[in-house]
Amino acid sequence: MRPTAISEEPGLTVGVEEEFLLTDPVSGETTARADAVLARTRSLPMPSGAQFHLELLGTQVEAASAVCTDLPTLGRRLAAARSELAASARREGALLISSGTAPLPGPLPPASEGERFARIRDLYAGVVRDYEVSGCHVHVGVADRDTAVAVVNHLRPWLPTLLAVSANSPHAGGADTGYASWRMLQQARFPGAGLPPWFPSAEDHDRETARLAECGVVVDPAMSFWLARPSPHLPTVEVRAADAVPTAEEALLQAALTRGLVRTALAELAAGRTASRVPNDQVGAAAVWAPARYGLAGDGVDPVGERRVPAARLAAALLDHVAPALEETGDLDRTRTLLGRVLREGTGADHQRRAAAGGMRAVVEALARRTSPHPTSANGDEVDADGRMDGIGAGTAGPSPETLR
């Protein structure tokens, strides 16, 4: 996405990067067909306006939405991009699934070409050799980098709750890990993962990222593993707390909550209110671990109050916190409905576990159906409700491993 400024409308520019995994329609294992899928997708008309990219491994693809100023348009574009990718994947004998981790990993995947990818592989070695991890990243336009850093300070206490709402990676290596977001445990292996530090200015932020690069633990100052940051490339706040979520509507929910948080932070800054500090780094780490372990199904941690709180109550508190901002943009009712559905029916992790009663292949099929329920084929044919087209088999679509930036 390429936002250039804050919108003149009541809302702010918003876009979403979704990472997907490609799976084999017969075995359900991940399959390295990213180059072919992206080549096919880019050769076709793309009404979604999305940009499609390689990820670190050949089993991964990314869709970066067009920049939007209203949620209904963003929702349509997210669904269209998923359909475009899903159709191309099917034509290349693969299924697209949106899951934070691969339920059934395949053979060790080949790495994507590119000088920066090669540097990442050299630096992190075995940690990234099979790093099939997928996230949902939301960008919200802000005026400048100092504003972006100040906004991230205000977002810090809410990032674990965004993770809880999105939790969608309970499986790895063909088995249940016991975690709702195994992706977050995988990501924790990298230096500096988790809640971002509190920074007084963009200069301080940039000094710290440069220091990490100088220490040799990231490939350059544009790379970090924090759950939110000022984008190194765009005039945006980038929030990377969420797992790759199973449905386009859940991606839209992340966008709504994130933009609401940014607008709320801007209002607080304009009123001269400073961000609530997370007083204890260990409690902050616990606040990230708890939703990774339980999602919305158990207790979370209030990192400011330093106490255990039911995760569902933290989600309700998040909605209350951003409700005035959502009301101003006309998005409150829709966001309340989307969040209510997740609270009532469960997160992606809960859905995956219910599907697992039929085995891991059933999990992949269920994820494919939810990723793009009615994808169109490359020639415009609609895929049936069971996800079958041209004899390839059931199942489709999904997000791929987390972007390493």
Side-chain angles (χ1 to χ4, degrees), residues 30-378:
T30 50
T31 182
R33 303 183 197 181
D35 285 323
V37 169
L38 291 180
R40 179 178 289 277
T41 304
R42 291 166 179 162
S43 71
L44 300 171
M46 291 182 284
S48 71
Q51 297 179 19
F52 301 101
H53 306 289
L54 290 169
E55 284 296 326
L56 180 66
L57 300 179
T59 53
Q60 312 160 255
V61 291
E62 178 190 86
S65 79
V67 180
C68 298
T69 56
D70 65 274
L71 289 186
T73 300
L74 178 61
R76 290 190 295 272
R77 288 179 179 271
L78 290 172
R82 284 173 172 233
S83 289
E84 290 161 5
L85 268 180
S88 294
R90 289 174 178 279
R91 288 296 185 187
E92 295 299 330
L95 305 177
L96 189 74
I97 67 165
S98 189
S99 176
T101 53
L104 283 170
L108 195 66
S112 297
E113 296 295 326
E115 185 269 338
R116 195 163 189 270
F117 286 149
R119 291 171 62 198
I120 291 169
R121 294 194 302 273
D122 289 345
L123 179 58
Y124 296 115
V127 171
V128 297
R129 194 170 293 129
D130 58 352
Y131 190 65
E132 295 180 308
V133 175
S134 309
C136 174
H137 301 180
V138 179
H139 287 260
V140 180
V142 293
D144 53 59
R145 285 182 63 77
D146 276 313
T147 301
V149 168
V151 165
V152 170
N153 289 340
H154 281 259
L155 266 55
R156 294 173 73 231
W158 300 105
L159 298 173
T161 302
L162 291 176
L163 171 62
V165 171
S166 73
N168 185 38
S169 51
H171 299 113
D176 194 319
T177 65
Y179 283 75
S181 175
W182 188 246
R183 159 188 166 264
M184 191 52 54
L185 272 292
Q186 294 286 87
Q187 191 170 310
R189 297 182 296 171
F190 294 97
L195 295 183
W198 192 97
F199 291 111
S201 69
E203 182 180 0
D204 290 283
H205 172 277
D206 294 347
R207 186 182 301 116
E208 182 65 16
T209 55
R211 182 180 297 117
L212 292 173
E214 178 63 26
C215 288
V217 296
V218 294
V219 299
D220 55 40
M223 174 182 261
S224 73
F225 298 95
W226 298 320
L227 299 184
R229 63 177 178 173
S231 170
H233 309 296
L234 305 170
T236 65
V237 169
E238 181 184 7
V239 176
R240 307 183 290 175
D243 277 5
V245 287
T247 67
E249 284 196 331
E250 286 165 276
L252 186 65
L253 173 61
Q254 285 291 318
L257 292 172
T258 300
R259 187 168 71 161
L261 281 167
V262 172
R263 295 191 76 251
T264 301
L266 291 172
E268 291 176 337
L269 290 166
R273 291 192 289 272
T274 58
S276 298
R277 301 293 286 263
V278 175
N280 185 298
D281 288 345
Q282 291 303 305
V283 173
V288 174
W289 181 87
R293 176 67 172 87
Y294 302 112
L296 287 174
D299 286 337
V301 174
D302 173 359
V304 176
E306 299 182 290
R307 60 197 179 95
R308 187 163 55 178
V309 179
R313 189 184 302 168
L314 290 172
L318 169 57
L319 184 62
D320 287 344
H321 179 68
V322 300
L326 293 172
E327 186 72 59
E328 288 177 6
T329 54
D331 299 320
L332 180 57
D333 287 346
R334 185 169 191 182
T335 305
R336 181 181 286 122
T337 297
L338 292 173
L339 180 59
R341 185 176 303 154
V342 174
L343 288 167
R344 184 175 60 254
E345 299 178 3
T347 64
D350 298 317
H351 283 268
Q352 286 201 40
R353 284 178 167 138
R354 288 195 288 269
M360 285 296 103
R361 182 66 179 85
V363 173
V364 174
E365 291 178 349
L367 282 165
R369 290 192 294 270
R370 299 191 77 207
T371 299
S372 184
H374 301 291
T376 55
S377 70

